[in-house]
């Protein structure tokens, strides 16, 4: 059986010595931090070019809302699954799939941490790792 691979992804990096980091960016002119990275111009002050610099976001934050999807037509993920909005410690709010399939036990204000999760089935698609968020215990 082939090994698990981490797909190359412009949205996150996998340092050898720690948890995954999100690839964001910061405006040097006004300090605004954003994710996902884009370099067309700052959403706050309009700065562009060299004023926008890449920034690694640590991947920790607080859960601000969540919802469990019970019926889903797509083939990429099986229902039920839970999506949350995480206010990252480094600034932006992001929407992500949580490691928990349902919202049982989740509450607003829970500490969350980015982690890589094995997904896929070798018979249907190669097994690989995706970025998800888990509640810190």
């Amino acid at each position: 059986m082939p090994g698990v691979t981490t797909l190359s992804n412009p949205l996150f990096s996998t340092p050898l010595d720690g948890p995954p980091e999100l690839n964001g960016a910061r405006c040097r002119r006004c300090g605004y931090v954003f994710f996902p990275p884009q370099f067309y111009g700052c959403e706050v002050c309009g700065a562009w070019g060299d004023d926008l610099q890449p920034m690694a976001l640590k991947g920790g934050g607080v859960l601000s809302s969540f919802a469990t999807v019970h019926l889903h037509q797509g083939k990429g993920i099986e229902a039920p699954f839970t999506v949350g909005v995480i206010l990252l410690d480094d600034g932006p709010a992001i929407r992500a799939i949580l490691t928990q399939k349902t919202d049982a036990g989740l509450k607003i204000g829970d500490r969350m941490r980015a982690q890589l999760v094995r997904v896929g089935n070798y018979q249907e698609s190669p097994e690989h790792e995706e970025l998800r968020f888990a509640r810190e215990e």
Side-chain angles (χ1 to χ4, degrees), residues 1-4 118 120-123 125-128:
M1 181 167 126
V4 175
R118 288 183 182 193
N121 174 318
Y122 186 67
Q123 287 76 26
S125 65
E127 191 174 67
H128 61 278

Side-chain angles (χ1 to χ4, degrees), residues 16-31:
L16 295 175
D17 61 343
E21 295 178 336
L22 285 75
N23 297 328
R26 179 182 173 280
C27 176
R28 290 182 195 191
R29 188 178 298 170
C30 72

Side-chain angles (χ1 to χ4, degrees), residues 39-60:
F39 297 94
Y40 301 113
C42 177
E43 296 173 18
V44 173
C45 71
W48 60 282
D50 290 340
D51 283 331
L52 304 180
Q53 64 185 20
M55 178 181 176
L57 307 174
K58 299 287 187 245

Side-chain angles (χ1 to χ4, degrees), residues 13-134:
S13 302
T14 52
L16 295 175
D17 61 343
E21 295 178 336
L22 285 75
N23 297 328
R26 179 182 173 280
C27 176
R28 290 182 195 191
R29 188 178 298 170
C30 72
Y32 181 67
V33 176
F34 50 96
F35 177 86
Q38 57 78 16
F39 297 94
Y40 301 113
C42 177
E43 296 173 18
V44 173
C45 71
W48 60 282
D50 290 340
D51 283 331
L52 304 180
Q53 64 185 20
M55 178 181 176
L57 307 174
K58 299 287 187 245
V62 176
L63 185 65
S64 71
S65 66
F66 54 88
T68 298
V69 177
H70 294 279
L71 184 60
H72 180 64
Q73 298 298 319
K75 295 180 182 180
I77 187 169
E78 183 179 320
F81 61 92
T82 302
V83 177
V85 174
I86 295 97
L87 301 174
L88 294 177
D89 296 335
D90 290 332
I94 65 162
R95 193 172 330 164
I97 297 172
L98 306 183
T99 58
Q100 288 185 224
K101 288 194 171 281
T102 69
D103 57 18
L106 286 176
K107 61 186 181 308
I108 302 301
D110 281 346
R111 288 288 308 163
M112 306 298 286
R113 174 69 50 200
Q115 71 178 53
L116 294 176
V117 174
R118 288 183 182 193
V119 297
N121 174 318
Y122 186 67
Q123 287 76 26
E124 297 170 14
S125 65
E127 191 174 67
H128 61 278
E129 293 181 319
E130 286 183 357
L131 185 73
R132 305 263 172 106
F133 277 76

